[in-house]
Amino acid sequence: MSHIPVLLNEVLEGLEPAAGETFVDATLGGGGHSQAIAERLGPSGRLIAIDVDSSAIALAREKLQVPGKLDLVLGNFRQIKELVEPLAPAVDGILMDLGFRSDQLLAGKGLSFERDEPLSMTLGESSMYSFTAKEIVNDWEEAHVADIIRYYGEERFAGRIARAIVQSRKQGEISSTLQLVAIIESAVPKWYRIRRLHPATKTFQALRIAVNDELDALRDGLTGSWELLQAGGRLGVISFHGLEARIVKNFFKEKKLEGGQLITRKAITASREEIRLNPRSRSAQLRIISKK
Ligand SMILES: C[S@@+](CC[C@H](N)C(=O)[O-])C[C@H]1O[C@@H](n2cnc3c(N)ncnc32)[C@H](O)[C@@H]1O
């Protein structure tokens, strides 16, 4: 399953990568946005592409055809400033396309509730993280598990799911995704099990956000990105759920008060045609701001 870049034209129109400029793609992924940005930067441009997942870096090394200078950096964008500054002290544009890419669902990371895999959920190597999803469900207190599922998953049955997890682990370790799916299904009412949205969607989202510390990483990444931009530089962020969108919106509001200029007054969303071709784009929201 290859990853289709979302809102690609809108990203190019709003970030306006131009010949000779230096850009950062903070979420390289399958390299779709990187490739298109690099083509606009041309032979005298420079693209610095970051991903926390080494498979994205390996794929890009093989696949990306960049006319100018390319730096592939394995790392977390929460350290974007430290990662980029030694290569380029100031940049013209930065893109953050949040979350995970389609092929990471098939990579044995435990991100999919449709495949039986170990419960890890780290986007990068698990050794880079403080804990995995397996530790949350087996070791954390019920109230803490419920809070994670409630706040990061916005799951209305968080309390019931956390209780079922704690009951189940008394019988033995919860170690696989399908084991967790069965526990979630046993905890929610029948009408919730037969809806279009899979009943495990929100719990899986919550665990992934917690394990990867996604919201704090986003806050740190936005702050570092802003510091890296030179005057007139543009920052674009594509978010996929309300928690991320809120953080981006508030950050942009704060920077507007400090003189930043919103390129997108309202978030840009995918056209009906894009959603038809790539259902994942349904929840994508693009926001762009420029630094004065
Ligand atoms: C939605 S995909 C990006 C897709 C990409 N724009 C494309 O066109 O293929 C998000 C990527 O960001 C990476 N990622 C997520 N959180 C990260 C973080 N905190 N630091 C660095 N990379 C991260 C994921 O590993 C994934 O490859």
Side-chain angles (χ1 to χ4, degrees), residues 3-6 25-34 50-53 56 75-78 95 97-102 104 123-124 129 212 214 217-218 238 240 280:
H3 188 91
I4 309 170
V6 302
D25 183 347
T27 49
L28 165 67
H33 288 109
S34 271
I50 303 172
D51 206 293
V52 76
D53 180 356
N76 194 309
F77 62 55
R78 69 188 312 164
L95 173 66
D97 174 17
L98 302 171
F100 56 92
R101 59 182 200 278
S102 320
Q104 285 174 312
L123 291 177
Y129 297 81
N212 296 283
E214 289 181 20
L218 173 57
I238 303 174
F240 287 89
R280 192 176 171 277

Side-chain angles (χ1 to χ4, degrees), residues 241-259:
H241 55 75
L243 297 168
E244 288 171 346
R246 220 169 298 151
I247 292 172
V248 178
K249 238 188 318 192
N250 288 337
F251 182 83
F252 280 21
K253 233 186 249 168
E254 185 190 310
K255 292 303 159 196
K256 185 172 176 244
L257 292 176
E258 294 172 18

Side-chain angles (χ1 to χ4, degrees), residues 90-112:
V91 304
D92 300 291
I94 301 177
L95 173 66
M96 302 170 86
D97 174 17
L98 302 171
F100 56 92
R101 59 182 200 278
S102 320
D103 39 330
Q104 285 174 312
L105 284 176
L106 310 175
K109 294 171 182 290
L111 292 169
S112 168

Side-chain angles (χ1 to χ4, degrees), residues 209-236:
I209 291 176
V211 165
N212 296 283
D213 196 14
E214 289 181 20
L215 304 184
D216 279 342
L218 173 57
R219 288 188 191 96
D220 293 350
L222 289 169
T223 305
S225 293
W226 193 255
E227 288 171 13
L228 269 177
L229 282 181
Q230 54 198 17
R234 285 84 66 203
L235 168 62

